[in-house]
Amino acid sequence: MRSRFDEQLEQLNRELVSMGALCEEAIGGSVRALCDGEPDHAATAITLEIAIDRMERSIEDRCLRLLLQQHPVARDLRQITAAMKMITDLERIGDQAADIASIVQHLDGRSVKPCMPLIPMAEEAMRMVTGSVDAYVKQDVDFAHIVMAQDDTVDEYFERVKDYLIEIIANSPDEGEYALDLLMIAKYLERIGDHATNIAKWVVLSVRPSEGFGA
């Protein structure tokens, strides 16, 4: 019975990794569209949101079956519960990647300069998403704490983006709408970092419940 349960947990981990990879791909597609002004990349990111939503429902069903059929012990219960919380954050990450893609489409092929801090901000957010899921699969609390620390970097980039856009508006007032669109993209990336942080915190909670969300 236990071997069967372990197999199902392993399958759950594989599905979570796949869902995380789809989220990273959606963010990456949005950022590529932002860099090169290619609308097809943005359209792909929007399409991926549907697959991410479908995976959320599939993983949730698997978690519920594990809870109802296998009678897991305390640590297993925490791990499955953490997975159910995680997929909510991953689904929201998919939504925000699609929101970024929609804004990029609104830019009508206009791209951003490679030097703009929005690009490394997006890259850091993607690393956080990947790292948080890896920390769950490996049940690695130290890795989860590294991901949480990366959120400070994403927040710092957000402040740099704001300063950059303020300068654009000051020098070219007619660029106000464009700057506002880019600020919204940065805000979505900041939220993606927040969701990845939540996932990392659920990892800590599932492995070391005494630390909780105050870790």
Side-chain angles (χ1 to χ4, degrees):
M1 180 67 75
R2 180 68 206 188
S3 61
R4 172 61 177 160
F5 180 76
D6 288 341
E7 288 173 7
Q8 292 181 347
L9 273 182
E10 183 60 33
Q11 179 61 32
L12 171 63
N13 288 345
R14 286 194 292 269
E15 290 179 357
L16 281 167
V17 170
S18 295
M19 188 176 181
L22 286 179
C23 289
E24 186 178 359
E25 185 179 351
I27 300 167
S30 299
V31 173
R32 283 194 299 275
L34 187 62
C35 290
D36 59 24
E38 179 53 59
D40 287 347
H41 290 150
T44 299
I46 292 171
T47 301
L48 284 170
E49 182 191 9
I50 299 171
I52 291 168
D53 289 346
R54 190 162 50 240
M55 287 208 74
E56 180 195 22
R57 292 190 294 270
S58 173
I59 293 171
E60 185 178 43
D61 287 346
R62 181 176 294 280
C63 288
L64 289 173
R65 287 197 302 272
L66 283 169
L67 291 172
L68 293 173
Q69 297 174 7
Q70 300 295 341
H71 307 294
V73 297
R75 176 161 181 167
D76 296 330
L77 182 60
R78 290 195 302 269
Q79 186 175 352
I80 296 167
T81 302
M84 294 181 72
K85 298 291 186 180
M86 285 171 54
I87 58 175
T88 299
D89 281 298
L90 287 171
E91 189 274 334
R92 289 174 181 166
I93 288 171
D95 288 345
Q96 284 148 7
D99 288 335
I100 292 171
S102 295
I103 294 174
V104 172
Q105 289 180 324
H106 176 69
L107 295 177
D108 293 327
R110 188 171 183 181
S111 59
V112 299
K113 296 178 181 178
C115 63
M116 187 176 178
L118 197 60
I119 305 306
M121 182 183 183
E123 292 170 347
E124 189 73 8
M126 283 190 287
R127 279 192 289 271
M128 288 184 69
V129 173
T130 302
S132 62
V133 176
D134 285 347
Y136 171 83
V137 171
K138 297 173 182 175
Q139 293 289 279
D140 190 327
V141 171
D142 292 335
F143 198 11
H145 281 298
I146 290 172
V147 172
M148 284 186 257
Q150 287 176 288
D151 193 42
D152 291 337
T153 303
V154 171
D155 290 344
E156 289 168 7
Y157 275 125
F158 181 67
E159 294 303 318
R160 288 173 58 187
V161 169
K162 284 198 297 184
D163 292 341
Y164 186 96
L165 295 175
I166 288 170
E167 185 176 348
I168 287 179
I169 295 172
N171 294 329
S172 306
D174 58 331
E175 293 279 66
E177 184 177 352
Y178 172 67
L180 200 57
D181 284 336
L182 296 185
L183 182 61
M184 283 300 301
I185 290 173
K187 190 62 183 176
Y188 284 129
L189 289 170
E190 183 189 40
R191 290 176 183 171
I192 286 171
D194 290 342
H195 287 302
T197 299
N198 283 345
I199 293 170
K201 288 180 176 180
W202 283 115
V203 173
V204 174
L205 189 64
S206 68
V207 179
R208 296 180 188 167
S210 59
E211 291 193 26
F213 260 41

